[in-house]
Structure formats: structure tokens, C-alpha cells
Amino acid sequence: MAATVERMGRSSRAPRRRSIKDVADLAGVSVGTVSNVLNKPALVAEETRIKVEAAIASLGFVRNGSARQLRAGTSQTVGAIVLDISNPFFTDVARGVEDRLAEDDHILILASSDDRLDKQHRYLRLLEEQGVQGVLVSPASNDLTWLDQTRARGTAVVLLDRPSPSPQICSVAVDDVKGGDLAATHLLELGHQRIGFVNGSTKIRQCADRRKGVRKALRAAGLRIADSLVETTVSALNADGGEEGLERLLRVSEPVTAIICANDLTALGVLRGLRRRRISVPEQMAVVGYDDVEFAGVLTTPLTSIRQPRYQIGRAAATLLLNEAGSRTHRHEQVLFQPELIVRESSGPPAR
Amino acid sequence: MAATVERMGRSSRAPRRRSIKDVADLAGVSVGTVSNVLNKPALVAEETRIKVEAAIASLGFVRNGSARQLRAGTSQTVGAIVLDISNPFFTDVARGVEDRLAEDDHILILASSDDRLDKQHRYLRLLEEQGVQGVLVSPASNDLTWLDQTRARGTAVVLLDRPSPSPQICSVAVDDVKGGDLAATHLLELGHQRIGFVNGSTKIRQCADRRKGVRKALRAAGLRIADSLVETTVSALNADGGEEGLERLLRVSEPVTAIICANDLTALGVLRGLRRRRISVPEQMAVVGYDDVEFAGVLTTPLTSIRQPRYQIGRAAATLLLNEAGSRTHRHEQVLFQPELIVRESSGPPAR
DNA sequence: CTGAAGCGGTGAAACCTTTCAAGAATCCGG
DNA sequence: CCGGATTCTTGAAAGGTTTCACCGCTTCAG
């Protein structure tokens, strides 16, 4: 992993950027006209426009965004603060945001708070200084006092992957209760009566909601929670956490015939542990994941999972933000997407 | 996947942002002094500083980045244009970039060109307008004429994941020839004499380089390429491509005992195909992937792969860029990282 | 006692663009 | 050929920050 420096060279850089004035001088018009060519081409005569455009091209002129923004009072940037940029969920959301912004010629400043409040605040401040039109935030804590302050200073805010606590705040999220319900109902319909649930801490909103959904489904099927659900909480929602959870579930006296996992990485660990113990999937144990990450379908045993419309979430959030930043009389909206069950080979009926 | 709007509310937003002048008035000092408090606190007397800081806090003042940048001529932003923001490789690189930039209080504007030249150029222009200190670009084509123009206008450029064609250009990349060599050498040391290679088009630089490395290793071991290497080119470097490549390799008269894959997704397809045919890994067929993506180690048969120092690549690129943008007498550097072989269970000696 | 340097702060210029009232040029019908 | 409408273009102001020459005072070395 050692880096090697191969070759070197010296640099000398250009001194000063061309300004609109340089263009005006070259084209023999005033700066106002150049500005009009740039922003309201319809106002300027064909002939003049061509002259100016030629000057722009020959100088390689590029607008100075700062001056533009300072004067016009409006910027072309939007900020997003996500919890973890390495998480494919947020990456896909970001892609949706970016695509939507591109349609309005805006660009995205993407930052990752790593679930830390201090980083979230630091980025929030930097983005405000940049004069972003607004920010999409996947909040790192339940404390939302910063939100009012930020909005009071004129920066629009849309909550990402977190339902809004108030009708005064825009948000885009997914119905995690429904997701848990879908997973459990699917297994119940296959005939399972006793289900294991490898979950994360209920302090995490997503985990708490998914748990709620699972329990709801069991009750709706007329089962007693105490008889039909074996829950285990793991500290890390990754493959190792999954193996650990599996181990605990297998030690329970009355064994489960199916396992729901809080996310696909956890499910991966469960699958790995089952394979090591030569417990076949889905014949001896059904497994359902959550997130439907890209590799879920290409595992040696393709994984049944709950899909969230990640790209659409991003698009919706961007749309809301552009709308909120754009109009003075904006109607705040709370968008709630529905998750979807993707059935693959890892789930089947329980053994006879 | 249908979205539902749950509740609504109306908005009313603040009229005007606080300026440095408001702070000065409240604190009873001049704007120059406030500016000094902000930028050179050492220059201003303790007492005055405290007064000003109190005023800033009580007004909730946030610097206007545009005005600052316009006057100071320097910004706090850096742009990055990557080929695919959904690719974990680039995500991890981005994280490295971001972390490094944070140390210097800079922020990252991240854009994805999706391998399209038009998008690359569009983003390049927008970033220039924003007045970024510089851009990290993973180029979408071999045409680098834009680079000189961009630099002539004063924007620093560092190539990402592409070795620089000239000593006048900074770049950070990984030695893909070495990576191919590592994979092949590993298999040769295990005793394999006849190896399959599922590769992408050699038009892709990474694929061409890795192929070069594989062939080099075989020659170094005294083997004839014609006898020891069976190559197959697949159109898509994903799981389906892998299955397709595997199928072709298995049809060859003199069978291979090991397979090298152009990336881990391809390897996933190969593994899946082998499993379906009940060919055991690694006993009957050894498999080596490339990239060491996160799930490589948690597959049902953990995958031997070639790791690239993604995070470090990002950090290095950011460092180079900050350096190039910062100093007038910058020495251009071409950093080449070395890949690393990660041995897991999918590779073993050939069957007797 | 003098001149220079240090201190803490001031106020105006400069950065580059957009905006807009007003002026110039052109064109039309009468 | 004129008055007036229409179409283009101009010039200057405005926007918020940083920078820098400068000011009046104190301190200190010579």
C-alpha cells in the first residue's frame, strides 16, 4: 500500500481570471449588455449578441459565481448532509437528488456527518456561509433546535429519511413500520409460526419502527408475541452482528423457523453462520433481509429483502427543497414512501 | 412504492440575512474590526473581541461566503467529478477526500459524470463558476484538452484513478499492472498452471493494465501464455457478465483450475455459476476477485481479492490539490499506490 | 527630549456581477 | 418631415466582505 512518487514537474499558473469587463471591452459594448447576453439573451439584438458571444469564446470567459450570487442574492447550490456516505442507501439517494437538481441547473454539495452532531453542525454552518438555497439533512440526533435557527436565517430545510415531527417542516421518509409488517406477514403467509428478529438498538428510529411493524403483523395474525417472536439486539448492524444474533437465536429452547434481519449486511452474517452449521436455506431456515442492497440478488442464495425507493426519495426531497426555496408561499409536505417486498430464494415454507 | 402526502403546513420565511455591518453597529465598532475578529483575532484587543463575539452570537450572524470569496479571491470549496457515485470505490475515495479537506476547513462539491463527457464538461463549468480552489477529476475519456484550458483559467486539477500522461499534471492512481500480477502470482504459487481470466474490454484502461500484469506474471514463471491463460471478454462487469464468462471458460477443451475476475461483482457471478454446477470452491476451482469490496469477506465462500487503498487515494488526491491550489511554486506529483492481495477461502491449491 | 515603533482601531476602496432608470437609435404612420 | 412608439444599449448603483493606508495615542531607545 506504499505510495511512490514517480515523476515531477514544475508549475506556473495564470494570474487573473477574465471578467465581464474584459469581454465588454473586446466586444465593444458595455458590461450591462454582456450581462444581458448571459442572462436575458432575448433582450439583445442578434448582431450584438453574436459579437459578445464571440468575445466570450475567444477569452474563455467563465462567470464569477460569487459576484453573481452576491448581487443576485440567489445561488445555484444545494447542500445535503447524510449520515454515512459509504452507505449505498445514501449514495443512491444522493444520485436522485443530484439528477433532480441538474434539471434546474443546480449542483449538490454533499457532506457526511458520520452520525456525529458536531460534524453535522460544522457542515451546516459552512453550507449556510456558502449561501446554499437549502439543505437536505438526515439528522444525527433527535434534537432539531438547529432547524428553526437555520430557517430563521433564510435557508430552507428538508428532512431526509426521517418523518417530520411538525407540519411546518418538509420531510421525505420511508414507512419503516410497514416494512417490518411486510417482512413478517410474508413469513406468516409461508406458514411460519415462530420467527426470530435480529435487530439493532431501538434508540435508532428505523429499528424501532421496523420492530413495531413486525409485532403488529404477528398480532394481526392472531398470534401472541411471547410465543411467536424471539428478538435479539445486536450492537453492530453488520455481518459479524448477524452471526452473533444467529448464535443467540439458535440457543433458544423452542427453535425459530425463520429470521428477519434489520438490514442486508446482518442477513449476510446470518446466512454465513447457517452455512457453517450446515443448516440449509430456505429449507431448514428462512431468512429475510432489509434494504435490498445491490448484492442481495447475487448471493449464492439470493436474499429476500425489503426494498426502499432510494433514488425516488432523493428526487422527491430535491423537488421539495427547490420548491420551498423558490416560492414564498410554500406548502410544507411530508412525503412517506412505501417499502416493497422482494421475494427471492432465501425464504420458503417451514420444514414439515 | 407509491408516495403519500400526509400533512401540510404553510411557511413564511425570514426577509434578510444579517450582515457584518449589523454586527458592527450592535457592538459599537467598525466593520473592519468585525472582519478582524473573524479572520485575525490576534490583532484585536481582548475586550473588543468579546464585545463583537457577543454581538455575533446574539444576532445569529453567519458570514456571507460569496462576498468573502469575491473580495478575498479565494474559496473554501473543492470539486470532484467521479465516474459513478454509486460505485463503492468512488464513495470511499470521496470519504478520504472529504476528511482531508475538513482538516483545512474546506468542503467538497461532489458530482458524478456517469462516464459521459457532456456531463463532465457541464459540471466542470459549474464548478469553475463556483470558484472552486480546484477539481479532482476521474476523466470520462482519454481526451484531456479541457485540462489545459481549465488550468489556464486558474483552477487546479488533479487526476483521480488515472495516471497522468505528463509530468506537468498531478495524479493519484493505483498500479493495476501490479494488481494483475499479484492475482496471477498468487495462483501460480498455489500450483495452478492453467488459469482463466474473465476480463472487461481492453479499451478500459484498468482492464488493459490488469491483463498486462497477469500475462507478465505467467511469463515470469516461465509459462507460455498460449498454454497457461484462457481469456474471455465480457461486455458487462457485473454478476451476469461473470456467469457468462464462466460458461465460456468451462467449454474450453483443456479445463482451467483457477479463475481471475476483473472485479468482485464479476467474481460473484462466477461463484454463483460454480455453485449451480456443484463445482466446489476452492477445491475444484479457485477464484480471485478484484477491488475487495465490502461484502467480499462476508460471502458464503469469502473471496480472495485485490484491495486498493481507496480512502488513502482520496486523501492523497485532496492533499495534492490543496497544495497545488495553495502555492505558486508547486511541484507536480504523480502518486501511484500499490494494490494488495487479500487471501481468503476462495483460493486454494488445484485438485490432485 | 526626540523619533520611531507598537497598538487598536477606522473608513474607504476594491472585488465582479446584476439590475434598472434613462438615454440613443431606429422605425412607423400620418 | 415630425411625433411618438419601439427596440437596444448604457452607466451607475448596489450587494457584503476583506484589505490596507492611516490615525492618534503610548512606550521605549538613544
Side-chain angles (χ1 to χ4, degrees), chain B residues 29-33 36 43-45 48 70-71:
Chain B
V29 298
S30 75
V31 293
T33 301
N36 278 336
L43 289 188
V44 33
T48 320
L70 174 60
R71 169 62 225 203

Side-chain angles (χ1 to χ4, degrees), chain A residues 7, chain B residues 139 142 144 147 159 162-171 334:
Chain A
R7 298 164 296 178
Chain B
N142 285 321
L144 296 181
L147 206 156
L159 293 181
R162 150 99 36 137
S164 163
S166 130
Q168 300 305 320
I169 302 171
C170 277
S171 70
Q334 285 77 40

Side-chain angles (χ1 to χ4, degrees), chain B residues 10-189:
Chain B
R10 288 214 165 273
S11 104
S12 68
R13 267 209 333 298
R16 173 179 144 277
R17 240 165 98 169
R18 303 301 193 167
S19 85
I20 214 176
K21 178 150 193 322
D22 298 323
V23 175
D25 289 349
L26 181 60
V29 298
S30 75
V31 293
T33 301
V34 177
S35 177
N36 278 336
V37 170
L38 256 24
N39 302 299
K40 300 162 186 167
L43 289 188
V44 33
E46 175 87 2
E47 198 190 353
T48 320
R49 213 190 59 221
I50 291 175
K51 259 194 321 195
V52 172
E53 280 166 353
I56 288 176
S58 98
L59 288 176
F61 166 75
V62 173
R63 255 208 203 81
N64 183 323
S66 316
R68 171 179 167 72
Q69 181 173 339
L70 174 60
R71 169 62 225 203
T74 170
S75 86
Q76 307 193 94
T77 58
V78 164
I81 304 177
V82 300
L83 289 178
D84 177 9
I85 205 187
S86 307
N87 185 330
F89 175 82
F90 286 114
T91 314
D92 290 346
V93 170
R95 173 175 284 275
V97 171
E98 207 191 6
D99 284 357
R100 177 63 187 83
L101 291 180
E103 291 171 13
D104 282 31
D105 259 316
H106 285 241
I107 55 180
L108 175 67
I109 304 184
L110 187 58
S112 179
S113 70
D114 297 333
D115 222 339
R116 280 171 41 188
L117 214 51
D118 59 331
K119 287 188 90 173
Q120 173 181 307
H121 287 336
R122 211 178 70 86
Y123 277 123
L124 211 48
R125 159 160 295 265
L126 280 170
L127 290 173
E128 273 194 67
E129 287 190 7
Q130 281 299 310
V132 293
Q133 291 254 359
V135 279
L136 302 170
V137 185
S138 188
S141 85
N142 285 321
D143 172 23
L144 296 181
T145 50
W146 54 269
L147 206 156
D148 289 331
Q149 298 167 22
T150 302
R151 297 215 301 183
R153 286 190 287 261
T155 305
V157 179
V158 171
L159 293 181
L160 204 55
D161 197 32
R162 150 99 36 137
S164 163
S166 130
Q168 300 305 320
I169 302 171
C170 277
S171 70
V172 179
V174 181
D175 189 342
D176 280 312
V177 176
K178 179 71 180 182
D181 188 341
L182 279 176
T185 301
H186 169 60
L187 291 172
L188 290 170
E189 283 175 354

Side-chain angles (χ1 to χ4, degrees), chain B residues 171-234:
Chain B
S171 70
V172 179
V174 181
D175 189 342
D176 280 312
V177 176
K178 179 71 180 182
D181 188 341
L182 279 176
T185 301
H186 169 60
L187 291 172
L188 290 170
E189 283 175 354
L190 286 171
H192 295 274
Q193 300 271 333
R194 194 164 164 77
I195 296 172
F197 186 13
V198 181
N199 199 13
S201 157
T202 51
K203 277 185 191 162
I204 303 174
R205 188 197 53 77
Q206 284 89 340
C207 292
D209 281 0
R210 289 170 196 178
R211 174 169 185 257
K212 218 178 285 176
V214 168
R215 298 169 83 100
K216 183 175 144 202
L218 293 174
R219 274 195 306 271
L223 297 175
R224 282 185 51 201
I225 300 290
D227 298 338
S228 57
L229 184 65
V230 184
E231 292 179 296
T232 177
T233 304
V234 297

Side-chain angles (χ1 to χ4, degrees), chain A residues 126-156:
Chain A
L126 280 169
L127 290 173
E128 273 193 66
E129 287 190 5
Q130 282 299 311
V132 294
Q133 291 252 2
V135 278
L136 302 170
V137 184
S138 188
S141 85
N142 285 320
D143 173 23
L144 295 182
T145 51
W146 54 268
L147 206 156
D148 289 330
Q149 297 167 22
T150 301
R151 298 215 300 182
R153 285 190 287 262
T155 304

Side-chain angles (χ1 to χ4, degrees), chain A residues 56-70:
Chain A
I56 288 177
S58 99
L59 288 176
F61 166 76
V62 173
R63 256 210 203 79
N64 182 325
S66 315
R68 172 177 166 75
Q69 180 173 339
L70 175 60

Side-chain angles (χ1 to χ4, degrees), chain A residues 29-30 33 44-45 48 67 70-71:
Chain A
V29 298
S30 75
T33 301
V44 29
T48 319
L70 175 60
R71 170 62 226 198

